[in-house]
Amino acid sequence: MIPVQGYEGHKVAVLGLGRSGLATAAALKAGGAVPVLWDDSPEARAKAEEAGWACTDLGREGAFEGISALITSPGIPHLYPKMNPVIATAMAEGIPVDNDIGLFFRSWATADWDSFDVTPRTVCVTGSNGKSTTTALIHHILAHAGRPTQMAGNIGRGVLDIEPAIDGEVVVLELSSYQTDLARALTPDIAVFTNLSPDHLDRHAGYGGYFAAKRRLFAEGGPDRAVIGVDEPEGVYLANQMASSREDDRVIRVSSVQKLGAFGWSVFARKGFLSEWRKGRQVASIDLREVMGLPGAHNHQNACAAYAACRSLGLAPWVIEAAFHSFAGLPHRSQTVAEKRGVRYVNDSKATNVDSAAKALEAFPNIRWIAGGLGKEGGVASLRPLLGAVKKAYFIGHSARDFALELAPLEHEICETMEAAVARAAAEAEPGDTVLLAPAAASFDQYKSFEKRGEHFAALVAALPD
C-alpha cells in the first residue's frame, strides 16, 4: 500500500466504494488522514461496512464541513454528461476534488528514495485501444529482464494498493480517460499514447473532450520521454506539441502502417517487421510474424510502443525480442485459446466496438467470425471493407439480425447463442481456418461482462473434440 501524503490529521471524503475507493480509503488512513466514506449504492456501502468502514452520507446538508478534499472513483461523472450531486456540492463549496491517480503521484516518492542507487520510475499508458496489452507487455518485458516492476491502474491492482517502491523499480500504469481527466497530479517519467478512436464520448462531451482527457497525461506532467502513436491526426498533433524539433529524441513516434525514419527516434512495424530508427539510421529490427501473443497490425503497434518504452528504460533490443516470444497475450484480447484439428480458436471478446473488431478481422486469415451482442450506436456497416478474410459469420445475441442486414451479402448464420455459434463454426471449419470471437458489440444482453462472454467461448472450445 502507498500511504497518502499531505493529509495527515485531515478529514478526506471518499466517494465510490469499489476496488479503487476502498484502496484509497485504506491508503489515506495509512497516511494519517481520516477517511469519510460514501457510495450511492446500498450494496457497496454494505460491503464497506462488512470490511470495517463506517459510511457517512455525503449528500446531506453540511456533509462537507471540516472536509479537506473529495476523492472520487473514476466511474463517477464529475462534469459530463451530468455532474454527480455530491461532486457538485464539493466543487460549489470550494473543496478540491481529486482521484486515486492524483493521490498516487503526490505520494509515490518518499525520503527513502535518497538512499536508492537507481531512482524508481513510472511508465503510464493511455489511448483508446491496445493500452491494456501495451501495459502488460511492458511489465512482462521488465520482469523478463529481471527489473523490479509492478503493474496497476486500469489493469490489475489499484494504484494505491501496490507496494512502496524499491531501488530501481518501474511501475507500469494503464490509465483510462476517466482517470487522467480529473487527476490533480500527473508526473510520469515515460508517457505512452497508443491511438485514438471514438469511445466514452458522452462522458467527455465529444471527441475533442475525449482527446483532451488523454492529452493531460502529457501536457500536465511533462514526461521525460513521450512514446506517441502517430497513425491518427491526434497523435501527429500531440507528437508535434511535445517535440521541440524534428530531431528531438525525447519524443518517440510509433506506427504500424508507415515508415518513420526521418525523426530523431522512431519505432514502426511494416509487413510484420519492427524497426527502430535513430537520427535517420536503422539500429534494430525484430520479426514479429512468429510472435504468437501479438497477432495482427494492431498488436504490432502495441509491440512498437512497448519496445520504445523499454528502450527508453535502457533495455537492449535482443532482451525485448526474447520477452516478446514468451508473452502469452491478455485474456479476451486476440487470445489463442486452442488449436484443434488444424483450426485456431481466438477469443477477442474485448472487441466490444467496431474499431476493435476491425483490428481483429485484419489480423487473421480464413476467418469464421462469431459476432453480435448488444449493438452500439452507428452499427457495423463500416466493417464491410474488412470482410475479405471472412469465410462465414455466425451472429449471436440481441443484434444478430441487425448485423446480418448491415453486412449483407456476407455469408452468415443466425445462431442466437454462443453454444450454437461455436458448434456450427467448429463443424464447418477446415484446417487453416481461424474461429474468431470478435463481437463488435457489448455483452450485456447475454453476459454480465465481456470477460464472462470470453470465458464461455473458451470453455465451449475446450469441450470440442481434439
Side-chain angles (χ1 to χ4, degrees), residues 98-110:
D98 203 349
N99 62 17
D100 60 337
I101 304 302
L103 295 184
F104 170 84
F105 279 110
R106 70 181 288 166
S107 307
W108 173 233
T110 67

Side-chain angles (χ1 to χ4, degrees), residues 369 380-384 387 395 402-410:
W369 180 30
V380 293
S382 61
L383 292 174
R384 283 180 185 165
L387 301 177
F395 294 130
D402 291 338
F403 278 27
L405 289 171
E406 291 179 52
L407 298 174
L410 175 68

Side-chain angles (χ1 to χ4, degrees), residues 168-351:
E169 187 162 35
V170 180
V171 169
V172 190
L173 304 180
E174 178 192 340
L175 300 182
S176 72
S177 59
Y178 290 10
Q179 293 169 309
T180 58
D181 195 22
L182 186 62
R184 297 172 72 91
L186 283 170
T187 54
D189 295 289
I190 299 170
V192 179
F193 175 85
T194 57
N195 51 56
L196 199 75
S197 61
D199 209 358
H200 310 305
L201 300 189
D202 60 335
R203 176 65 181 266
H204 300 290
Y207 204 45
Y210 177 50
F211 175 53
K214 301 286 189 184
R215 184 178 177 272
R216 288 192 78 243
L217 182 62
F218 299 81
E220 298 292 325
D224 295 334
R225 188 83 63 189
V227 177
I228 301 174
V230 294
D231 289 338
E232 292 85 29
E234 293 80 9
V236 174
Y237 169 84
L238 182 58
N240 184 268
Q241 289 279 295
M242 296 298 296
S244 61
S245 69
R246 186 171 64 176
E247 294 77 24
D248 187 353
D249 65 3
R250 295 173 302 170
V251 175
I252 307 178
R253 290 167 172 83
V254 166
S255 174
S256 62
V257 298
Q258 57 184 310
K259 182 178 178 179
L260 298 172
F263 300 99
W265 198 347
S266 61
V267 180
F268 58 89
R270 296 180 70 197
K271 298 181 180 179
F273 285 87
L274 179 153
S275 297
E276 178 188 2
W277 283 63
R278 301 190 72 169
K279 298 180 180 179
R281 299 181 63 183
Q282 183 173 328
V283 298
S285 178
I286 296 175
D287 186 351
L288 299 173
R289 293 173 299 176
E290 301 303 319
V291 179
M292 290 291 291
L294 296 167
H298 63 301
N299 273 313
H300 292 176
Q301 184 188 55
N302 299 335
C304 289
Y307 176 96
C310 290
R311 287 288 283 142
S312 296
L313 292 166
L315 272 64
W318 66 269
V319 172
I320 300 172
E321 181 176 12
F324 279 170
H325 285 280
S326 60
F327 181 66
L330 290 181
H332 318 298
R333 295 167 174 86
S334 295
Q335 175 196 20
T336 298
V337 296
E339 290 192 21
K340 296 190 173 189
R341 299 182 176 181
V343 177
R344 184 178 183 179
Y345 293 85
V346 176
N347 168 21
D348 201 354
S349 184
K350 181 65 167 61

Side-chain angles (χ1 to χ4, degrees), residues 127-133 154-155 174 176 197 199-200 210 214 298 330-335 346-360 370 372 376 418 436-443 449-455 457:
S128 295
N129 297 302
K131 59 183 180 293
S132 294
T133 297
N154 204 43
I155 184 173
E174 178 192 340
S176 72
S197 61
D199 209 358
H200 310 305
Y210 177 50
K214 301 286 189 184
H298 63 301
L330 290 181
H332 318 298
R333 295 167 174 86
S334 295
Q335 175 196 20
V346 176
N347 168 21
D348 201 354
S349 184
K350 181 65 167 61
T352 59
N353 57 42
V354 167
D355 188 67
S356 296
K359 290 176 169 56
I370 299 175
K376 295 190 174 182
M418 186 72 75
L436 170 66
L437 171 64
S443 61
S449 65
F450 73 82
E451 291 95 342
K452 293 298 183 184
R453 178 170 60 190
E455 289 167 6
F457 171 78

